[in-house]
Amino acid sequence: MSNQKGVGLTRRTILKSIPALSAVSAAGQFFTGSAQAQEGLEFGYTICDNCNQMPMCGIRFQKQGNTVVSVGNWKEHNGKLLCNKGLATLQRLYNPNRLLYPMKRTNPKGSEDPGFVRISWEEALATIASNLKAIKEKYGPEKILVFCGDPKEPRPAAMRLARYLGTYHYATESSVACRKGSLLAEQLVYGSEYSGGGCGPKTKSYMVMATNGAWSKPHGWWNMINAAKKRGVNIIVIDSRRTKTAELATVHLQPRQGTDAALGAGICRVLFEEGLYNKEFCDKWVHGVEEYRNYCKDFTPEKTEELTGVPAELVVKAARLYAQGPGSFALTSQSLSHSTNGVNNARALLNIPAILGFVDIPGGALFGVGPKGYIVHDNGLTEDFVDYKWFKEHKKDRLDKDFVPVWNHTQVQFNPNQLPEHVKNGKIRAFCGFGYNVMIWPQPDQYAEAIKNMDFSFATDYFYRDISHRDLDIILPAAMNFERYAPFGNHGGNMVSVRTPTKPMGEAKEDW
């Protein structure tokens, strides 16, 4: 591949320009001293997309001309405290290995050297449009797969592209292996997506389900749970690992990996048998509670210990402590669903607060209400923008209807985990990727081979990754967060929308 650095910087000069963390001011800005000595500085605002759960945190930056010279906290933003990843965004922006120009493969697929060469945007877009149009007309639009990975910001635009191409085969990294498994469990238990809440002033018990919130939750979570611990909240942590969060636990349950469903049933059995569950709430709101109660009868504390490795006395203790409530919880976004029984593992744990009635009560799990039509897991996507109704109507036509029927019935996003089979059978012939990484699949070589065997494929990204990109026909550069329109964010009912006033480097476009 041609070396397209595009900027007159080297890794060494970048690192030299970044002061040590000890020199960072209280405002959390890099380059503070040098920036203040320069003339003609302007302020701008954008969002950080390094965690992919964006728009989450805000960035206030300074630029001189078209060069960003410092980044710091945007104090008016809900997510105003940048972590090291946010502060390091300039290293990514000015990385000499960035993709800056559209690239075209010139050697045959499978070649050791793809022979990528720089082309114009006009040629790149014309090539993409003509190939997708030809495949659509010859085989049908449903033979095109539109895939959006990280960051999640392009999801609304990518889904809208799929809609107007006419393909209902729109997938994301979430529908491969990330959040969607847990989200499906939440929908099956609560009827909507809900991965838990925080510890309010009236919360007396808190269950942390297979997540290390010290590292994975938004800013403020760790301070929240420490404060809850100090005021006497009983914290029950369910995690196979001994994590930083688990060190705070009143009770730490460590099930063998993949046995969380048995542990959930064992805890629920204690709640049922000792009359600790909320019968009035269950009679009114919980469907199938008697059937589940009968199912749980076999999961005695001793049997639960045998299946999970969790001592029987801890199973009982955890159930009794959590039942004292009112209680809230925090569910993992993905770890539980990365097993053959993944969705049911999450469902079984979610059943615990459900049968206790810790739903929409003070101190319990409070369901948020966002803007009408706003879909939280797609970060700014609205139903009208992408014609959500059309995708729902075509779920029955998708290729995953027999592979994962419950998923197909409940989810709008396509599950692409049979992509090698679909390509082999000629059912998927084109690939449109936005921030995609083939390494998300457990068998990346098989999926890379499937994409290679398609009639046409392209992707948009910040950097070139060989296993993901080498057999694509076209690679497009993506504008980074300092160079493009920022998406609107919903922060507790407050809407944030900004425009970043810097021009893209090279020929990276503002829109993906």
Side-chain angles (χ1 to χ4, degrees):
M1 177 180 176
S2 301
N3 186 11
Q4 299 289 330
K5 291 187 177 180
V7 289
L9 295 173
T10 66
R11 296 180 192 278
R12 182 169 296 175
T13 57
I14 288 175
L15 293 174
K16 280 183 177 180
S17 67
I18 300 176
L21 281 176
S22 60
V24 178
S25 72
Q29 288 195 335
F30 278 133
F31 305 105
T32 303
S34 61
Q36 289 175 344
Q38 299 178 33
E39 300 294 333
L41 289 176
E42 298 178 75
F43 287 107
Y45 300 87
T46 185
I47 48 85
C48 177
D49 60 359
N50 268 352
C51 283
N52 91 34
Q53 297 297 333
M54 44 73 54
M56 186 67 73
C57 300
I59 295 176
R60 180 180 185 261
F61 63 88
Q62 288 181 304
K63 69 177 186 127
Q64 187 172 44
N66 198 43
T67 301
V68 179
V69 296
S70 74
V71 295
N73 298 322
W74 177 1
K75 65 180 181 180
E76 294 84 8
H77 197 282
N78 288 60
K80 61 185 176 182
L81 298 177
L82 294 180
C83 70
N84 288 342
K85 289 187 289 184
L87 292 171
T89 49
L90 289 193
Q91 297 181 50
R92 184 186 68 177
L93 178 67
Y94 295 120
N95 190 304
N97 293 319
R98 271 193 68 184
L99 286 168
L100 298 176
Y101 310 102
M103 309 293 287
K104 176 177 70 174
R105 182 177 47 78
T106 59
N107 290 333
K109 293 182 180 181
S111 300
E112 184 175 346
D113 177 12
F116 279 107
V117 297
R118 175 180 171 179
I119 59 174
S120 68
W121 273 98
E122 289 73 16
E123 180 181 352
L125 295 177
T127 301
I128 293 170
S130 62
N131 278 276
L132 294 181
K133 182 179 179 181
I135 291 169
K136 178 178 177 178
E137 291 177 349
K138 185 174 181 179
Y139 300 107
E142 71 279 1
K143 299 298 191 292
I144 301 171
L145 171 62
V146 177
F147 184 96
C148 188
D150 281 327
K152 292 180 171 62
E153 182 180 338
R155 283 188 177 187
M159 194 171 185
R160 187 176 174 92
L161 171 66
R163 167 64 182 95
Y164 289 101
L165 279 171
T167 179
Y168 34 79
H169 289 127
Y170 163 74
T172 70
E173 46 81 30
S174 295
S175 66
V176 171
C178 189
R179 165 89 173 100
K180 281 287 190 175
S182 292
L183 186 146
L184 174 57
E186 296 159 21
Q187 290 177 322
L188 292 173
V189 174
Y190 294 115
S192 65
E193 62 173 294
Y194 184 66
S195 58
C199 294
K202 295 185 178 181
T203 301
K204 301 300 181 184
S205 57
Y206 193 65
M207 183 170 285
V208 183
M209 304 172 176
T211 184
N212 183 18
W215 311 135
S216 63
K217 294 296 182 183
H219 296 313
W221 190 93
W222 183 242
N223 291 336
M224 174 207 71
I225 196 170
N226 272 278
K229 176 73 173 180
K230 289 179 181 179
R231 65 174 182 266
V233 173
N234 287 315
I235 299 172
I236 297 92
V237 173
I238 299 174
D239 203 312
S240 301
R241 309 158 298 173
R242 183 64 178 177
T243 64
K244 185 175 178 66
T245 302
E247 292 173 2
L248 292 178
T250 311
V251 178
H252 179 199
L253 308 179
Q254 293 183 270
R256 298 187 186 97
Q257 290 188 354
T259 64
D260 301 83
L263 178 59
I267 292 174
C268 284
R269 182 190 185 278
V270 175
L271 299 176
F272 283 130
E273 294 299 315
E274 296 189 6
L276 299 174
Y277 78 109
N278 190 329
K279 186 177 187 305
E280 181 181 356
F281 178 86
C282 289
D283 289 345
K284 184 176 182 179
W285 296 108
V286 182
H287 299 280
V289 65
E290 287 304 316
E291 290 87 342
Y292 189 59
R293 180 174 185 166
N294 290 331
Y295 173 81
C296 291
K297 284 183 177 179
D298 292 335
F299 291 86
T300 63
E302 294 72 25
K303 182 64 175 179
T304 302
E305 177 177 356
E306 178 186 338
L307 293 171
T308 69
V310 177
E313 62 272 19
L314 289 186
V315 175
V316 176
K317 182 178 181 181
R320 291 171 178 171
L321 282 175
Y322 190 55
Q324 290 177 15
S328 185
F329 68 92
L331 174 70
T332 176
S333 60
Q334 55 187 273
S335 62
L336 285 180
S337 59
H338 290 182
S339 68
T340 53
N341 196 44
V343 173
N344 283 331
N345 281 333
R347 287 179 71 189
L349 296 184
L350 291 172
N351 284 341
I352 301 169
I355 67 169
L356 287 167
F358 293 164
V359 178
D360 269 347
I361 61 171
L366 302 176
F367 287 69
V369 178
K372 184 178 180 180
Y374 180 81
I375 302 171
V376 177
H377 62 261
D378 278 321
N379 301 92
L381 180 152
T382 60
E383 294 186 4
D384 290 343
F385 182 76
V386 298
D387 195 358
Y388 221 54
K389 180 181 178 182
W390 182 86
F391 282 95
K392 290 180 178 179
E393 291 171 348
H394 285 282
K395 288 189 294 185
K396 64 183 185 305
D397 303 315
R398 291 196 327 235
L399 291 172
D400 60 3
K401 63 180 181 297
D402 296 322
F403 174 51
V404 279
V406 174
W407 174 285
N408 177 271
H409 179 71
T410 58
Q411 304 302 309
V412 172
Q413 293 179 13
F414 169 59
N415 185 306
N417 289 328
Q418 282 190 317
L419 186 60
E421 291 87 344
H422 296 325
V423 174
K424 183 178 180 180
N425 296 329
K427 295 179 180 179
I428 296 290
R429 291 180 171 271
F431 179 81
C432 309
F434 297 84
Y436 113 93
N437 189 344
V438 75
M439 295 299 291
I440 195 172
W441 280 286
Q443 307 88 8
D445 290 340
Q446 294 182 28
Y447 288 82
E449 182 71 14
I451 293 172
K452 182 185 79 172
N453 291 333
M454 292 188 192
D455 295 358
F456 179 77
S457 58
F458 81 91
T460 301
D461 220 310
Y462 295 152
F463 298 97
Y464 174 84
R465 288 184 297 273
D466 187 58
I467 189 172
S468 295
H469 297 149
R470 64 188 175 208
D471 291 312
L472 299 179
D473 295 289
I474 298 286
I475 306 174
L476 302 177
M480 290 189 177
N481 57 316
F482 293 98
E483 304 167 328
R484 62 179 186 255
Y485 284 93
F488 69 84
N490 174 34
H491 303 272
N494 296 322
M495 305 302 296
V496 176
S497 180
V498 298
R499 165 75 165 87
T500 58
T502 60
K503 296 179 181 179
M505 296 171 60
E507 291 184 5
K509 296 290 187 179
E510 288 188 20
D511 44 359
W512 286 50

